[in-house]
Amino acid sequence: MTPSVLEAQGLGKKYGKRWALRECTIDIPAGHVVGLVGPNGAGKTTLLKLASGQLEPTAGGITVLGGRPAGDAEQLAKVGFVAQDTPVYAGLSIADHLRLGARLNPRWDDRRARERIAQLGLTVDRRAGKLSSGQRAQVALTLGLAKRPELLILDEPVASLDPLARREFLRGLMEATVEHQLSVVLSSHLVSDLERTCDYLIVLVDSRVQVAGEVDKLLATHHRLTGPRRDADRLPADQHVISASHTDRQSTFIIRTDDPIHDPAWAVTQLSLEDLVLAYMDKSTAEDRRAALEMQR
């Protein structure tokens, strides 16, 4: 059985009266590059900060690599974290960052860090404040990798980068993942980035996991059905409806099923990863609208 790199059960985080994350249950297997996707306010950043030990949960529990996040120095050393704003200190040089990393991290690999900085075409005397946003992101990734973590967590690290810098960052991430056999959890709004990098997907909406699994298996078991108008309750029981739309004469369903689709009335097409993500996000939005209407009655 594949061990879990992150497990959460009924996890929640509350700020005052507002829940930033609530009733989140998740089980992320080791050995994958995991894409965590969802709309703004879904709880992605809160989940990742709980996983890295930057926040304490209000409810439920979470374990990372079998232990409490940031529970001790050994646990801290196992996890690397790169935040959305790719934190580096503007007044410090790259060399200063490397020395700081060596002092704070017992597993620090200085040779790996300096080799990667050289491969990026940077010199260690450059100050972080003089670097481009893409270069700062690459330095932050280098610091995370030089910890030699078992799990690397990245919270939308390419959100502010231009397309070329984003591609270079993700290429470096994938090379490091293969070379060092890391588990990675990467949150992003950009599904195209996830398609290039991730082999495992989690869609998080309103703090709840809508779907989770290996990307190839998810794409193989989700289909778009288009045909004569039909109510969803007339579909076979093994065809779980994710989303539905109708015109006067035609119905379109996105379904999940492990079984073949035999009904000749349907035109069956495969989904892209973006289609799949949007279907689950739209499903949650539709359910929220129905719940709001019920409360108004």
Side-chain angles (χ1 to χ4, degrees), residues 42 68 79 130 142 157 166 208:
R68 184 170 67 86
V79 180
K130 299 295 185 180
T142 299
R166 191 164 70 241
R208 291 176 174 82

Side-chain angles (χ1 to χ4, degrees), residues 28-176:
I28 299 178
H32 288 283
V33 179
V34 180
L36 177 64
V37 63
N40 287 331
K44 301 188 300 297
T45 293
T46 299
L47 172 61
L48 297 184
K49 286 187 174 181
L50 287 164
S52 59
Q54 298 176 60
L55 296 174
E56 288 289 334
T58 306
I62 180 170
T63 59
V64 174
L65 298 167
R68 184 170 67 86
D72 53 34
E74 182 180 357
Q75 188 71 15
L76 276 169
K78 293 179 180 180
V79 180
F81 183 84
V82 179
Q84 180 174 349
D85 54 0
T86 55
V88 290
Y89 298 100
L92 298 184
S93 68
I94 294 175
D96 293 331
H97 283 85
L98 299 182
R99 283 191 289 269
L100 185 61
R103 291 186 63 181
L104 295 176
N105 298 287
R107 298 161 61 162
W108 183 260
D109 189 335
D110 198 63
R111 182 182 61 82
R112 176 192 296 184
R114 291 179 181 274
E115 285 179 353
R116 192 168 194 280
I117 291 297
Q119 289 168 1
L120 295 169
L122 298 174
T123 57
V124 295
D125 61 341
R126 291 279 300 276
R127 292 196 179 276
K130 299 295 185 180
L131 302 177
S132 69
S133 58
Q135 289 170 331
R136 289 195 299 273
Q138 291 283 16
V139 170
L141 177 60
T142 299
L143 298 175
L145 292 171
K147 285 188 68 173
R148 293 193 299 164
E150 295 176 33
L151 168 64
L152 183 62
I153 297 173
L154 303 106
D155 185 13
E156 303 211 33
V158 297
S160 62
L161 303 186
D162 63 60
L164 180 59
R166 191 164 70 241
R167 185 183 67 184
E168 291 300 316
F169 181 95
L170 293 172
R171 182 166 64 186
L173 172 64
M174 294 309 298
E175 289 173 352

Side-chain angles (χ1 to χ4, degrees), residues 158-218:
V158 297
S160 62
L161 303 186
D162 63 60
L164 180 59
R166 191 164 70 241
R167 185 183 67 184
E168 291 300 316
F169 181 95
L170 293 172
R171 182 166 64 186
L173 172 64
M174 294 309 298
E175 289 173 352
T177 300
V178 172
E179 181 181 357
H180 305 295
Q181 298 182 330
L182 294 170
S183 294
V184 176
V185 178
L186 166 68
S187 75
S188 179
H189 282 103
L190 303 170
V191 178
S192 59
D193 290 339
L194 302 182
E195 286 181 311
R196 289 199 296 267
T197 57
C198 299
D199 60 359
Y200 195 96
L201 177 72
I202 297 171
V203 180
L204 183 67
V205 182
D206 294 329
S207 83
R208 291 176 174 82
V209 176
Q210 303 298 313
V211 67
E214 294 181 22
V215 170
D216 288 347
K217 292 181 180 178
L218 291 178

Side-chain angles (χ1 to χ4, degrees), residues 207-235:
S207 83
R208 291 176 174 82
V209 176
Q210 303 298 313
V211 67
E214 294 181 22
V215 170
D216 288 347
K217 292 181 180 178
L218 291 178
L219 292 177
T221 55
H222 287 76
H223 312 276
R224 180 185 289 107
L225 307 183
T226 306
R229 183 175 176 110
R230 187 181 302 184
D231 292 335
D233 57 11
R234 293 180 56 197
L235 295 179

